[in-house]
Amino acid sequence: MLTDAHSRTVAELLKALDVTSEAGLDEAEVARRYAQHGPNRLEEKQARSAWAILLAQFKSPVVILLLIAAATAAAFGQVVESIAIAAALLINAVIGFVTEFKAMRSMEALSKMGRTTAAVIRGGARTEIDAAELVPGDIVILEEGNVVPADLRLVDVGVLHCNESALTGESVPVSKSSNALDDDDPPLAERANMAFSSTAVTRGEAIGVVVATGTATEIGKISEMVSAAEDQGTPLERRLEHLGQRLIYLVIAVGIVVAVSGIIAGKELFLMVETAIILAIAAVPEGLPIVATVALGRGMWRMARRNALVKELSAVETLGATTVIFTDKTGTLTENRMTLHQVALPAGNIDVVRTRGLGEFQDNSEPVDVERRHDLQAMLRAGVLCTNAALGEGEPGNEQMGSRGDPTEVALLEAAAWAGMRRRDLIEALPEEREESFGSETKMMATYHRTDDGAYLVAVKGAPESVLRHCTHVRGHDGGDQTLSDDARQEWLQRNRDMAARGLRVLAMAERTVNDAGAEPYRDLALLGLVGLYDPPRESVKGAIAACRGAGIRVVMVTGDQPETAANIAHAIGIVDEKQPSVLRGRDLGDLDAADEQARERIWKTSIFARVSPEQKLNLVSLYQDEGEIVGMTGDGVNDAPALKKADIGIAMGKRGTEVARETSDVVLQDDAFETIVMAIEQGRAIFSNIRKFVVFLLSGNLGQIIAVSAAALMNAPLPLLPLQILFLNLLLDVFPALAIGVSKSESEVMTHAPRDPREPLLTRNSWLTIGGFGTLIAASMLAAFAYALLVLGVDEATAVTISFLTYGFARLWHVFNMRARDSGLFTNNLVRNPYVWGAIAVCGVLLLSAVYIPFLSSLLHTVEIGPKEWAVVLIGSLTPLIVGQIGVTIAGLRRRSAA
């Protein structure tokens, strides 16, 4: 690969590649170079197999711990317990596998790109070959509509425009030339003499020589960056892993303490060993993996219904942890379609305002009657005549649908259509006789149209500096011409600079009348004015950005487009408040790995990065991650793929996005709407909140068992729960109520809080205190009921155990309501309004009663029927944790509100 091809002259380049543009390579040389460089193809990605997806379901420390618990139970003869734990793990694995298998089938996008044909000159003759057979030095012919098959240095260009937005982020097609560049290392978007692999030719034709193939191309480099980009484990995965590690120590401690204390107190050895094993197993919430999987799957389903396709379960929660969103501009924040924004006429400026897709011409916010403005009509007519584009036949407001040609020209046709001017009508009245194509040297284009009197109207458009250089007059409001003085010319150039500073792409329009279709087009032109076009922001984006800011999420624009354009869009949609914000160009970023504290601070304060390369996007993501941020990255182009993969959550556009971007992302927005991200973040926050709630619910309830049984063993008292009863209660209460909590809808205030600290564990210090408090409360109520039954009611041990069994079981059910948010109302929270909660309580309540009143179950669990007095003890004992808990949650909420 020639890395300096853009800075060499054509002659130097062809000599270095040992080829001529007329003859190309011969077959023998092609074979030699093919053997040296290999096929012009990107490395194919290894698809993730079904077995890999299945094995991934068993990687969690919690799952591994449960597998050990199941094996231990089997080894000690607890077959029922072992089978029950294994069944829970199997259900979890099946749910996770089915959900992820549907979403994780690889699209193999990188290997598909570039699989096309190419027209080449070999042995002096033109031939069509598979693009995979191209080698450096091949002479390639490009024509309108082609996909560029390799990285080419252009050697002969008439007119050539390439759409490089997917690679560089440039919002409009780029005009190409064959001239060598003075800059040794310009950004990709400024290499005007290069055509890059997988970009599209939108207009014209050219001849180029292949300078890079396969992974040596610019898209190949991106492919390698995608492969090398390290996938960060999601925050939830990291938190569950940390929790699993802590539970391992807890399980060991519980087993040892219970067994030793019971044996010292004189309990039967086998009973204490069996109880220790069961309590150790109880310390690990069997329901955690399955409930987490179902909660994430439910969130995945909710997001899919609202056009956010999540490809991995764990990515659902990551959205809620996002603290900063890096967003591309073109096609993500904008519509990725050019539109006329302003017309500069001699009489003043006219704005073009879009409302619900339709355009209206306004002068000082007042509608303009186009039929009365001959200057505006002349301007629009020139744009319609001087074009090679064709407007689609879409409905009003959607005229660009089905259009073809340069987006800038399509935008001019669309604006004219809003004024009632259609190209087919104008061409019928003014037939086109000749075209002077756009040239990279002249930077202008002209078309000749025959008029009724036999003369020719020449319509001209092009770069303002070029057109003004050839204008001698300016067309007035009344249709008459005035001489264009040097001072007036400078004023027009200043108007051009002012429009460009607002992020507009500016073109000048002019015309002249000649008697001969062969007359020189660019002489004695009458200036009509300037047109300013831009890629407008999506109408819904501003509200979505405001919602992100309200939720404490920072939005940063990272684009390959021009700084002026980026700044204008960023201000318009509310990313920044200043009209002239600070913008960092890619070339100013330097080596981010070696950046000092001052440079990092400047980067940290910047919200707009322009002319940024794919590698710089990747480094920016890494820099923010090193600071502990949870980074979301949106994008739609090939150039976004490495950063999409590196980010904690990659978000690709589904409609406009390339397959590469969709493949490497975690989330695909099927409607390309930025506001869908806000919805997804809300769901993610709700899911994390629910996961934290049901983990607290599970651990506090299980801790209540451990405390109660351990305390009884230490006091040499009868055990309030028997081993099989503990297992039955855990299988019942660790799944159904926790599932109901896991699928609860979000609280209304979830998007009014700042993101949680990314370093915050799943269970904070307050969470552990809550677990300890509720666990102690549940254990105390159960032991109190057990002691009251034995000492006051004077019942036998079997009846007392049944009372403590039911007290604990119903206390755990009512305990669900203690999981409400501190800011929520006692009777107006998402748990009370959740029908699944009431369903879980009903199912578990019936099963608890079945354990006492169905002979088979009562015999297996050693329970007995109880009377009204015993039921009164159960009722009081089970409701006490709920009443005390609700008082505590309410007080905590009041303290939080007063502190805020």
Side-chain angles (χ1 to χ4, degrees), residues 851-864:
V852 175
Y853 293 103
I854 292 180
F856 168 74
L857 275 178
S858 65
S859 174
L860 181 66
L861 296 174
H862 301 291
T863 59
V864 295

Side-chain angles (χ1 to χ4, degrees), residues 371-386:
E371 293 184 0
R372 294 176 177 271
R373 291 294 300 266
H374 300 295
D375 51 352
L376 178 58
Q377 286 188 41
M379 172 76 82
L380 295 173
R381 181 182 64 187
V384 172
L385 294 176
C386 190

Side-chain angles (χ1 to χ4, degrees), residues 62-364:
V62 176
V63 172
I64 294 172
L65 190 59
L66 285 170
L67 285 171
I68 295 172
T72 304
F76 279 85
Q78 306 296 326
V79 179
V80 176
E81 292 90 330
S82 179
I83 292 174
I85 296 170
L89 289 175
L90 182 62
I91 293 170
N92 172 69
V94 169
I95 293 173
F97 173 80
V98 171
T99 307
E100 291 196 22
F101 186 79
K102 290 180 179 179
M104 282 298 295
R105 300 322 303 153
S106 173
M107 292 181 282
E108 301 295 334
L110 290 171
S111 63
K112 290 179 182 177
M113 292 199 67
R115 288 186 177 177
T116 183
T117 60
V120 298
I121 297 175
R122 285 183 176 175
R126 172 173 173 156
T127 183
E128 295 279 337
I129 65 168
D130 188 324
E133 299 172 11
L134 285 172
V135 297
D138 257 324
I139 303 299
V140 176
I141 300 170
L142 294 178
E143 296 174 335
E144 185 172 325
N146 286 168
V147 173
V148 180
D151 281 3
L152 309 178
R153 167 64 161 87
L154 301 173
V155 300
D156 186 9
V157 179
V159 176
L160 186 71
H161 288 186
C162 292
N163 184 344
E164 299 177 345
S165 61
L167 182 65
T168 67
E170 181 70 59
S171 57
V172 296
V174 181
S175 174
K176 298 293 185 177
S177 73
S178 59
N179 299 327
L181 303 181
D182 295 331
D183 192 344
D184 290 336
D185 189 25
L188 291 184
E190 296 176 10
R191 297 186 186 184
N193 58 9
M194 298 288 296
F196 298 108
S197 176
S198 299
T199 61
V201 177
T202 60
R203 181 179 174 189
E205 57 187 30
I207 295 174
V209 59
V210 176
V211 296
T213 59
T215 55
T217 62
E218 293 300 331
I219 191 176
K221 295 175 185 176
I222 293 175
S223 169
E224 291 187 333
M225 278 193 282
V226 171
S227 300
E230 182 183 352
D231 251 331
Q232 303 288 106
T234 67
L236 181 61
E237 290 171 330
R238 297 195 291 267
R239 289 181 174 102
L240 287 176
E241 182 176 350
H242 179 68
L243 176 62
Q245 291 168 351
R246 299 187 73 170
L247 286 176
I248 290 173
Y249 299 120
L250 178 63
V251 166
I252 295 172
V254 166
I256 293 174
V257 168
V258 171
V260 172
S261 61
I263 293 169
I264 291 174
K267 295 285 186 184
E268 183 185 344
L269 176 63
F270 178 78
L271 174 64
M272 290 317 302
V273 171
E274 181 186 33
T275 303
I277 292 172
I278 293 296
L279 280 177
I281 294 171
V284 183
E286 292 93 335
L288 180 56
I290 187 170
V291 174
T293 301
V294 171
L296 293 170
R298 175 77 172 175
M300 202 173 185
W301 176 75
R302 282 176 178 165
M303 291 182 190
R305 288 186 65 191
R306 297 180 63 178
N307 296 312
L309 177 62
V310 182
K311 294 163 62 179
E312 285 196 48
L313 283 175
S314 53
V316 175
E317 181 273 336
T318 310
L319 279 161
T322 302
T323 59
V324 60
I325 297 176
F326 284 166
T327 176
D328 189 24
K329 179 187 71 67
T330 305
T332 305
L333 301 176
T334 67
E335 296 182 1
N336 198 21
R337 53 181 260 173
M338 296 299 290
T339 188
L340 184 62
H341 183 68
Q342 189 174 69
V343 179
L345 299 168
N349 292 345
I350 290 180
D351 297 319
V352 184
V353 180
R354 288 175 66 95
T355 305
R356 296 178 182 175
L358 297 174
E360 181 181 73
F361 297 90
Q362 295 182 356
D363 185 356
N364 291 322

Side-chain angles (χ1 to χ4, degrees), residues 324 326-327 554 556-559 584-586 589-593 595 599-600 602-627 629 631-633 643 646-648:
V324 60
F326 284 166
T327 176
R554 187 179 176 197
V556 177
M557 181 189 291
V558 184
T559 179
L584 270 181
R585 294 173 68 102
L589 287 175
D591 184 357
L592 294 181
D593 291 332
R600 284 176 172 259
R602 183 178 62 153
I603 292 169
W604 191 260
K605 290 181 178 179
T606 300
S607 295
I608 309 169
F609 298 89
R611 281 290 192 245
V612 177
S613 69
E615 186 176 6
Q616 288 167 331
K617 287 186 179 183
L618 190 65
N619 291 338
L620 279 170
V621 171
S622 297
L623 186 146
Y624 272 72
Q625 288 176 331
D626 290 344
E627 295 294 328
E629 300 291 331
V631 179
M633 173 75 194
K646 174 66 176 175
D648 296 285

